[in-house]
Amino acid sequence: MTEQFDDDAHAPRVLSNSAVLAFLWRQWMRRPWFFAALVGFTLIATVIDVFIPVAAGRLIDSMTTDGDGRHWAAFALFLGLAIAFNAMRQIAVRFEIRFSSANMADMTTESFARVQRFALDWHASTFAGSVVRKITRGMWAYDTITATLWFGLIPSVLVMAGLGFYMLFTWPLVGLYALSVTAIFIVASVAMSAFYVRPQNIRSNRIDSELGGAVADAVSGIATVKSFGAEAREDQRFHTLAWRWRAEVKKTWLRFVNTWLVQIIAVLALQAGLTGLLINLWQRGEASPGAVVFAITAFMLMAGYMRRFGEEVQNVQRGLDEIQDIAAYALQEAGIADAPGAPDFVPGPGAIRFEQVRFTYAGQNRPLYEDFSLEIPAGEKVALVGPTGSGKSTFVKLVQRLYDVDEGAILIDGQDVRAVKQASLRRSIALVPQDPALFHRSIAENIAYARPDASMEDIVRAAKRARAHDFIARLPAGYDTLVGERGVKLSGGERQRVAIARAVLADAPILIFDEATSSLDNETEREVQEAMADVMAGRTAIVIAHRLSTIRDADRILVFNEGRIVEQGTHSELRAQGEGVYARLAALAVAE
């Protein structure tokens, strides 16, 4: 079978250089005074740099003519300009460090916040490792672009142009030649970078993101890899991807090298033409020895800037390509967004109502829910059962507004879930999933995630209600025990009870248990069921379960099939029917 290494199904579109530069401009304008200082001191340094060759030429002229010590004044001017240039650069760099480090922190934070708010469907189709790679790569790309552009690229252009115009007004033919070579060089360098290097660099960056995603995917699933003894297979899979990366990045680097030919040709042309023209003028008596020294100094300065310019154009282009992912994130729609001016959800007793809801998953032609209506009174314990794909999990995701309905409305305590802020709505709904994902933090921090300001007494009280306190107390570090990535250091039952404790601490009017006991042994299941029963008392509770033992005492059981409720009633009522979906499920449970 051919290996597929898709980065993600919702990859941000490739933006133009102008769009990425617009994103960068917004970052620079976060701190306009710092930006103005950076640009101002850099421009002053650049102007000074232009006049250093001029001062060198005048120093030579003052030394080759009979004078009254004017050469010391010329020497002081030459030295003063060199000192001033370095001083201005130092000040500009110090401003840039404060400016860029703050902007990088803000930009990365905003990118992280933006990605967090993308729809659940986007995250389900995206490699987490790729996202991490793109954000961190974009952060450093910002630093590269800012430093290179303002300390390298723009000064290079200004110095080359400034020296060219000085020559133009002093020796028109020399100046015209210098400006022509410089203009051809700049245009060719930028064009080759944008149209020759960039397309290949985009491909390299994409597979670089895949590389990061593949590492994260394998490492996060290391328990599965080891359980199947599949290390060698994963090695081979990663080796294949790494060599795909090598093939693409080799092409990119070769294209960068090819563009250096333009630089070499331009430097040689400038060296030959500029020096030759000035020597010719000197032989004809139209230029002094100082002018020749100026020409040589100017050439050395311009040649140095030309060499740097070629590299700087490539660095800026590489940076623009690397930052374009997070620039695209900034333009990407969140998918599920709060309505403008939406108020906070006002928690109530927890009544839920579906009104003629129609819902279709993206990419599907047939709706899962069609004209679906249901009312769950506050305080009712409702169980959802049915075959896989019947719409049970979709029901709770719609209650949480992880997806938006196509038609109809979902009301909680009379409030349309689309009309209130999502975060405030979800704080009123506590979820205990089938496989709780804990953070690699302490047990206390994981429980308190529902309410960060909770006291230690509140955390312990919640753990006791969740039947988690006893096992936590037996751990060497107790509530300070780190649980590992996704809670891998705890057993399935322990993770479930920590998740229930988190739900207890949330004190939400609506509780959702999504297959909370499906992977537990009988003894642990009984403990978790006791905790669930305690927690659900007095709250609206929705329980999804395949094990009927979990839902026997439900106030109402809703039997789903193909997005419809085909049966409903208590356990006894549905069993008494003797036939139907629930009766078959009950018969299978007895047989097991």
Side-chain angles (χ1 to χ4, degrees):
M1 186 175 72
T2 303
E3 289 278 13
Q4 297 296 321
F5 297 102
D6 292 335
D7 180 12
D8 55 65
H10 298 271
R13 64 186 183 277
V14 176
L15 301 180
S16 65
N17 278 341
S18 59
V20 180
L21 285 169
F23 170 79
L24 277 167
W25 181 258
R26 292 194 295 273
Q27 308 311 310
W28 292 330
M29 288 298 102
R30 289 176 184 273
R31 293 167 174 82
W33 289 110
F34 270 100
F35 181 66
L38 162 66
V39 174
F41 283 110
T42 301
L43 288 176
I44 293 171
T46 302
V47 171
I48 293 171
D49 206 16
V50 169
F51 285 97
I52 287 177
V54 178
R58 293 190 175 180
L59 174 61
I60 296 299
D61 280 341
S62 69
M63 294 172 65
T64 56
T65 58
D66 294 332
D68 52 3
R70 285 181 298 172
H71 50 277
W72 289 111
F75 172 73
L77 175 63
F78 176 74
L79 185 60
L81 288 174
I83 293 172
F85 168 76
N86 285 286
M88 294 300 103
R89 291 279 288 195
Q90 269 286 310
I91 295 171
V93 168
R94 292 176 185 276
F95 272 108
E96 192 272 337
I97 289 171
R98 292 169 173 79
F99 174 70
S100 288
S101 59
N103 282 356
M104 288 164 72
D106 284 346
M107 182 183 71
T108 307
T109 300
E110 286 186 4
S111 297
F112 172 74
R114 186 75 183 172
V115 166
Q116 279 203 113
R117 283 156 182 77
F118 288 158
L120 192 64
D121 187 50
W122 186 92
H123 284 281
S125 304
T126 305
F127 263 139
S130 296
V131 176
V132 172
R133 192 91 161 202
K134 289 173 182 177
I135 291 176
T136 55
R137 189 173 61 204
M139 177 183 73
W140 291 112
Y142 167 88
D143 182 53
T144 298
I145 295 169
T146 302
T148 304
L149 196 63
W150 294 105
F151 294 144
L153 200 61
I154 291 175
S156 295
V157 173
L158 293 179
V159 168
M160 289 188 290
L163 288 171
F165 278 109
Y166 178 85
M167 295 177 201
L168 185 67
F169 288 107
T170 308
W171 311 286
L173 182 61
V174 177
L176 184 63
Y177 178 82
L179 286 173
S180 299
V181 172
T182 300
I184 292 171
F185 168 72
I186 290 173
V187 171
S189 296
V190 172
M192 288 187 71
S193 181
F195 301 109
Y196 176 62
V197 175
R198 186 174 191 243
Q200 180 59 38
N201 202 33
I202 292 290
R203 288 190 287 272
S204 297
N205 287 342
R206 182 171 177 80
I207 199 165
D208 179 76
S209 297
E210 291 182 38
L211 204 65
V215 172
D217 190 45
V219 171
S220 63
I222 193 65
T224 303
V225 173
K226 287 187 175 296
S227 66
F228 286 95
E231 289 93 341
R233 190 178 347 133
E234 290 298 322
D235 290 346
Q236 182 57 46
R237 182 177 185 272
F238 189 79
H239 177 270
T240 302
L241 180 58
W243 274 82
R244 276 188 58 205
W245 170 86
R246 183 260 182 187
E248 294 298 330
V249 82
K250 181 185 69 173
K251 295 176 187 175
T252 303
W253 292 346
L254 285 174
R255 290 195 181 194
F256 278 126
V257 172
N258 291 341
T259 60
W260 294 348
L261 291 173
V262 175
Q263 169 190 311
I264 293 169
I265 293 169
V267 169
L268 291 174
L270 189 66
Q271 180 180 13
L274 196 59
T275 309
L277 286 170
L278 263 297
I279 290 175
N280 179 259
L281 288 175
W282 172 72
Q283 287 179 332
R284 290 158 49 189
E286 297 177 17
S288 66
V292 177
V293 171
F294 162 78
I296 295 172
T297 307
F299 157 71
M300 292 174 65
L301 188 62
M302 293 177 75
Y305 274 115
M306 276 187 169
R307 292 187 189 96
R308 288 173 54 190
F309 183 85
E311 296 172 2
E312 286 155 357
V313 167
Q314 293 172 10
N315 287 337
V316 168
Q317 185 60 68
R318 186 187 290 113
L320 292 174
D321 296 340
E322 290 178 349
I323 205 174
Q324 75 99 27
D325 286 312
I326 61 175
Y329 285 155
L331 300 175
Q332 189 168 324
E333 295 294 329
I336 306 295
D338 289 334
D344 284 335
F345 175 78
V346 180
I352 301 171
R353 188 164 78 248
F354 277 58
E355 294 182 344
Q356 298 179 312
V357 165
R358 185 176 190 271
F359 174 72
T360 309
Y361 277 108
Q364 300 292 322
N365 295 323
R366 182 171 172 269
L368 177 60
Y369 289 164
E370 184 77 68
D371 197 25
F372 182 92
S373 296
L374 176 69
E375 187 163 351
I376 300 176
E380 185 178 30
K381 178 183 176 181
V382 176
L384 312 183
V385 300
T388 301
S390 59
K392 306 184 300 299
S393 293
T394 302
F395 181 89
V396 299
K397 288 175 181 175
L398 291 176
V399 169
Q400 297 171 280
R401 206 199 165 196
L402 297 176
Y403 295 98
D404 272 336
V405 299
D406 303 330
E407 295 177 8
I410 299 171
L411 306 177
I412 299 180
D413 293 322
Q415 302 164 78
D416 191 324
V417 298
R418 293 169 298 187
V420 297
K421 291 181 180 177
Q422 299 170 69
S424 63
L425 168 69
R426 291 168 191 157
R427 284 195 294 268
S428 296
I429 303 170
L431 171 69
V432 180
Q434 178 179 3
D435 183 21
L438 305 183
F439 295 100
H440 185 24
R441 303 169 194 175
S442 70
I443 291 177
E445 288 176 294
N446 273 284
I447 294 174
Y449 199 77
R451 211 177 80 217
D453 60 345
S455 67
M456 196 63 209
E457 290 75 13
D458 291 334
I459 293 170
V460 172
R461 192 179 303 116
K464 287 179 177 178
R465 288 191 65 188
R467 311 302 191 267
H469 176 73
D470 290 344
F471 91 78
I472 296 172
R474 289 194 296 269
L475 297 170
Y479 283 86
D480 292 326
T481 301
L482 294 175
V483 302
E485 189 173 6
R486 297 183 63 84
V488 295
K489 293 184 178 181
L490 303 181
S491 69
E494 289 168 344
R495 287 199 302 273
Q496 289 289 5
R497 280 174 278 181
V498 170
I500 293 173
R502 187 163 58 190
V504 170
L505 197 59
D507 195 26
I510 299 173
L511 284 171
I512 297 174
F513 292 88
D514 188 356
E515 300 282 7
T517 65
S518 63
S519 59
L520 306 180
D521 59 75
N522 291 335
E523 183 177 351
T524 305
E525 181 185 8
R526 282 194 297 272
E527 293 177 353
V528 172
Q529 285 176 353
E530 289 176 7
M532 289 170 58
D534 184 10
V535 173
M536 287 188 287
R539 290 179 169 82
T540 303
I542 301 171
V543 182
I544 299 176
H546 281 115
R547 292 187 180 182
L548 302 189
S549 58
T550 308
I551 59 172
R552 290 179 189 275
D553 61 344
D555 299 323
R556 184 166 39 141
I557 298 172
L558 306 177
V559 183
F560 279 71
N561 190 37
E562 296 183 352
R564 295 180 299 113
I565 298 174
V566 294
E567 301 169 22
Q568 60 178 302
T570 65
H571 173 73
S572 300
E573 290 169 347
L574 293 173
R575 282 292 301 275
Q577 292 179 5
E579 59 182 19
V581 177
Y582 190 82
R584 289 197 301 274
L585 292 173
L588 288 172
V590 171
E592 292 174 354

